[in-house]
Amino acid sequence: MFPAKQDLTICFAHAAYQMQARFDLRKTGIRNFQVWNYDDFQKRVGEADVVVVSGMWKNDLIPSASKLKFIQSISSGMDQYSREQLAAKNVRLASAAGVNARAVAEHAIALILAVARRLPEARDNQHKKFWRGMIGDLTQREDELGAKTMLVVGMGRIGSHLAMLGKAFGMKVIGIRQDPGKGTNGADSIHAMGDLVKLVPQADIVALTCALTPETTGLMSAAAFAAMKPSAMFVNVARGKVADEAALIATMKAGKIAAAALDVTAEEPLPEASPLWTMPNVFVTPHTAGETRAYEDNVIDILIENLERLWKGDQVLRNQVL
């Protein structure tokens, strides 16, 4: 049985997000506490009926979490949770899918604009107090997005919002998704994941926005990179392992495509030895696409909705995983 409201204790576990402070503003009267590091989480997880957590979760905690009935993930990614072990303990699980879809899509457009308008270079020149002159070489000059074609790989919440933003800039948008039958979601056309290599040559921008699954791991393969236009840009705001990073590095070293803008990498933090750090045609942000000042409140909206469903005995949760 799921505990009644007056008997419930929630543990918020995150190293940075102000989950408890934002939750307390809702004045729910529900007992709660926040832990800021794994050691404290490990010590106190046994007190919680509900855990609100993301990267701090480890499945080794399950034996100690004797009261645990529900995990509300703070993140959309769910790789860290063992569905089998949680199901064996009758622990329900829900993701935060969609909580930062707008932020990630806007970050993708920001990356695209930054590269097209050569903003990283401009910032570097500012630090050097260097006023760059006009450029005669058309291939090296700032560019505009209108009339370009963007291929969006993954047409869920993030991809559909990115498609809308792309259309606002006058771009043609080709969408790829697991099930094209679910609709275009704002793209001009929609295709299956298996069509990626065939569609890549049409794109001026290839943007990854899909979830990391066994099917999408390495989806942006060496063959896909080889099929891109030499003038094209690669953008990844999905997960690093959706792309073959070795193939990306080889492609960039060979100058086979014009630029790459990455918010995610195969290993995070990006290792100091990675050549991606210093390539002049690569722009890296540290997995911050999903960051937004509204993040905590958006997660708490999902949490409260799911608590209400659990109290009612509903079998289906918002963003249910288990």
Side-chain angles (χ1 to χ4, degrees), residues 147-163:
K148 289 199 173 351
T149 296
M150 178 167 61
L151 176 62
V152 179
V153 182
M155 288 299 297
R157 296 175 180 92
I158 295 168
S160 59
H161 195 71
L162 178 57

Side-chain angles (χ1 to χ4, degrees), residues 1-183:
M1 292 290 293
F2 193 71
K5 183 175 181 179
Q6 65 271 18
D7 300 322
L8 194 73
T9 299
I10 300 174
C11 170
F12 297 102
H14 201 282
Y17 289 171
Q18 305 294 315
M19 298 302 302
Q20 182 183 31
R22 300 306 301 178
F23 183 78
D24 285 347
L25 290 175
R26 307 292 180 105
K27 301 188 184 303
T28 63
I30 299 172
R31 284 193 304 273
N32 66 88
F33 62 94
Q34 177 147 358
V35 292
W36 302 94
N37 59 68
Y38 182 74
D39 287 344
D40 288 342
F41 188 27
Q42 192 174 34
K43 290 172 186 173
R44 300 195 65 184
V45 69
E47 302 172 35
D49 304 289
V50 173
V51 167
V52 184
V53 65
S54 55
M56 204 181 289
W57 177 261
K58 296 183 188 302
N59 295 306
D60 293 347
L61 293 166
I62 293 173
S64 303
S66 56
K67 295 175 60 183
L68 186 61
K69 298 291 188 297
F70 172 51
I71 298 174
Q72 173 63 64
S73 183
I74 295 173
S75 62
S76 299
M78 304 298 285
D79 303 350
Q80 67 270 46
Y81 304 103
S82 169
R83 291 159 174 76
E84 295 77 13
Q85 292 181 59
L86 292 172
K89 294 288 187 178
N90 294 315
V91 176
R92 306 291 302 275
L93 175 65
S95 80
V99 73
N100 57 0
R102 183 183 298 274
V104 176
E106 290 177 1
H107 194 91
I109 279 289
L111 291 173
I112 292 166
L113 284 168
V115 172
R117 302 307 304 167
R118 302 188 64 153
L119 297 184
E121 177 193 353
R123 181 69 173 183
D124 291 344
N125 286 341
Q126 177 185 342
H127 284 265
K128 292 183 284 188
K129 300 181 182 179
F130 174 70
W131 190 277
R132 195 207 75 192
M134 299 175 72
I135 295 176
D137 184 347
L138 296 181
T139 65
Q140 299 302 307
R141 198 181 296 170
E142 286 82 355
D143 205 357
E144 54 194 75
L145 302 185
K148 289 199 173 351
T149 296
M150 178 167 61
L151 176 62
V152 179
V153 182
M155 288 299 297
R157 296 175 180 92
I158 295 168
S160 59
H161 195 71
L162 178 57
M164 181 188 73
L165 294 174
K167 299 288 285 181
F169 279 94
M171 288 194 280
K172 176 184 176 182
V173 178
I174 302 172
I176 292 180
R177 66 187 311 175
Q178 292 283 6
D179 183 1
K182 290 185 176 179

